[in-house]
Amino acid sequence: MKNFINLKDIPAADLRKILNDAKKRKNKRKKLSTLEVDKDQPLKGKLLIQMYEKQSSRTRLSFHIAINQLGAGSITIKASELHLGKGEESLVDTAKILSTYGDGFLLRTDSDKKIEDFSKNLTIPIVNLLSPSSHPCQVLSDIFTVEEIKKKSISKLNICWIGDCNNVLNSLIAASVKFKFNLNIGCPKNYRPPKFVMDWVKKNKRKINIFNDPKKAVKNADVVFSDKVVSINDKGNKAKKIKDFKNYRINQNLMKVTRPQSIFLHCLPRGNEVSEDVFLGKQSRVWQQALNRVHVQKGILLYIFNKLR
Ligand code: CP
Ligand code: NVA
């Protein structure tokens, strides 16, 4: 059994194995409909428990489909419906109960510590469905989408992120180290990745480039990523933050500086950080990106149960 909490803690070879498995499975089920089970039913009989302490559309639905396609079953619970949520039962006892009934626990939470505490007390694997510091399922799936569209290893591409230093960017930075790709970041000075993140990159003998000028950041990019300026877990002054990012909106002018054939990706939901014509334009691959979550999350589920081929 393995956990899937942060990309930085997972060996690069395992991440690659997840992507390879996802590719094979995606190709094999082209003619199957949404809830038809993969022929080998690799997770037959298993119960995955999903818990969301924060809102989610894509993660919730794509995991529901992924779990079903692998032959497993799922139940989605809300923290507020548990004794845990009301503070009447400890995390330790809740973890014991989850491990008694379920085979895996999938958690979206506003506390990194809660994921860590669960991981210490569960005897079943845990998957991080988004925390304040990371969104590993999203980013691993995005690597898959980039390679699927570009038909080459991401290590040969220039990747650019325009936006906040948030959970998705943290996971993208970890991915840039694991998959060894060039990463440019365009953001205002006060929103740069923290020193401990940059130190970790350096310790792993990689470099990321940070620009205040978004035009410099996107120059020669093969892929431009963005995300909402204000994240679910943001507690600060939202109006100020949006104002600070006003020159970082992705529009056609900015996309002109990228390489020919460049693509635009966004995990969704979106805000004002991207213009309507870019988001709905021909460089945008956001719907393909969202759908691929299903396929890569199947690989992640197989990984936690040591069932990757
Ligand atoms: N991208 C993503 O994780 O979307 P949801 O918040 O809707 O799950
Ligand atoms: N950074 C965003 C991602 C949403 C999927 C957030 O945490 O709200």
Side-chain angles (χ1 to χ4, degrees), residues 167-192:
N167 42 11
V168 180
L169 176 59
N170 279 339
S171 293
L172 191 65
I173 291 172
S176 79
V177 169
K178 298 285 170 175
F179 291 96
K180 297 188 172 30
F181 58 81
N182 292 328
L183 178 61
N184 280 3
I185 297 171
C187 64
K189 244 194 179 119
N190 295 341
Y191 295 88
R192 292 175 165 220

Side-chain angles (χ1 to χ4, degrees), residues 95-268:
K96 178 75 187 158
I97 289 303
L98 293 171
S99 307
T100 302
Y101 292 126
D103 297 291
F105 183 46
L106 283 52
L107 176 64
R108 171 171 287 199
T109 174
D110 55 5
S111 161
D112 285 291
K113 180 161 185 314
K114 193 176 276 183
I115 297 192
E116 198 190 315
D117 290 347
F118 265 118
S119 74
K120 285 185 188 143
N121 288 287
L122 289 162
T123 53
I124 56 175
I126 184 169
V127 176
N128 176 3
L129 302 183
L130 182 148
S131 70
S133 78
S134 106
H135 197 1
C137 299
Q138 176 72 54
V139 167
L140 190 58
S141 174
D142 293 347
I143 306 300
F144 181 92
T145 301
V146 167
E147 294 190 338
E148 181 177 69
I149 294 167
K150 292 288 174 188
K151 297 187 175 42
K152 56 170 90 154
S153 161
I154 194 162
S155 62
K156 301 203 161 48
L157 297 168
N158 294 329
I159 309 298
C160 173
W161 171 274
I162 301 289
D164 186 26
C165 176
N166 61 16
N167 42 11
V168 180
L169 176 59
N170 279 339
S171 293
L172 191 65
I173 291 172
S176 79
V177 169
K178 298 285 170 175
F179 291 96
K180 297 188 172 30
F181 58 81
N182 292 328
L183 178 61
N184 280 3
I185 297 171
C187 64
K189 244 194 179 119
N190 295 341
Y191 295 88
R192 292 175 165 220
K195 186 173 175 302
F196 76 89
V197 172
M198 300 305 283
D199 286 348
W200 178 80
V201 171
K202 211 167 150 192
K203 202 175 120 209
N204 283 280
K205 302 188 174 27
R206 297 290 306 170
K207 191 174 167 271
I208 51 183
N209 310 301
I210 304 181
F211 301 88
N212 296 332
D213 180 349
K215 277 209 163 132
K216 287 190 179 148
V218 295
K219 194 164 188 301
N220 291 327
D222 295 293
V223 184
V224 179
F225 276 98
S226 189
D227 186 11
K228 272 178 104 151
V229 170
V230 176
S231 280
I232 308 173
N233 291 299
D234 266 340
K235 306 263 183 302
N237 182 337
K238 296 176 187 166
K240 178 178 182 313
K241 196 170 177 192
I242 290 170
K243 201 166 148 225
D244 291 345
F245 274 92
K246 78 175 188 322
N247 296 329
Y248 292 80
R249 190 163 196 245
I250 296 163
N251 53 27
Q252 293 289 3
N253 267 345
L254 203 56
M255 289 304 285
K256 272 190 199 134
V257 189
T258 63
R259 276 197 175 149
Q261 315 299 323
S262 68
I263 58 168
F264 172 77
L265 295 177
H266 191 302
C267 64
L268 294 168

Side-chain angles (χ1 to χ4, degrees), residues 17-31:
K17 260 192 184 168
I18 294 173
L19 296 184
N20 289 344
D21 199 286
K23 190 172 172 183
K24 280 188 235 156
R25 278 186 190 277
K26 182 175 179 183
N27 282 338
K28 265 198 177 162
R29 56 170 297 120
K30 281 198 174 122
K31 292 201 180 103

Side-chain angles (χ1 to χ4, degrees), residues 33-130:
S33 52
T34 312
L35 285 185
E36 275 183 271
V37 179
D38 286 2
K39 241 189 184 152
D40 56 341
Q41 304 182 54
L43 296 189
K44 188 177 172 194
K46 292 205 185 292
L47 174 63
L48 280 308
I49 302 171
Q50 295 199 64
M51 184 162 99
Y52 291 85
E53 294 188 337
K54 294 279 163 180
Q55 58 272 38
S56 166
S57 307
R58 283 142 287 267
T59 307
R60 182 192 303 268
L61 292 169
S62 56
F63 262 109
H64 178 81
I65 298 168
I67 291 165
N68 277 274
Q69 289 186 359
L70 294 172
S74 73
I75 180 167
T76 301
I77 54 179
K78 285 190 205 148
S80 60
E81 293 168 348
L82 301 186
H83 298 283
L84 170 75
K86 298 199 185 310
E88 290 160 356
E89 188 159 32
S90 68
L91 185 146
V92 175
D93 287 0
T94 304
K96 178 75 187 158
I97 289 303
L98 293 171
S99 307
T100 302
Y101 292 126
D103 297 291
F105 183 46
L106 283 52
L107 176 64
R108 171 171 287 199
T109 174
D110 55 5
S111 161
D112 285 291
K113 180 161 185 314
K114 193 176 276 183
I115 297 192
E116 198 190 315
D117 290 347
F118 265 118
S119 74
K120 285 185 188 143
N121 288 287
L122 289 162
T123 53
I124 56 175
I126 184 169
V127 176
N128 176 3
L129 302 183
L130 182 148

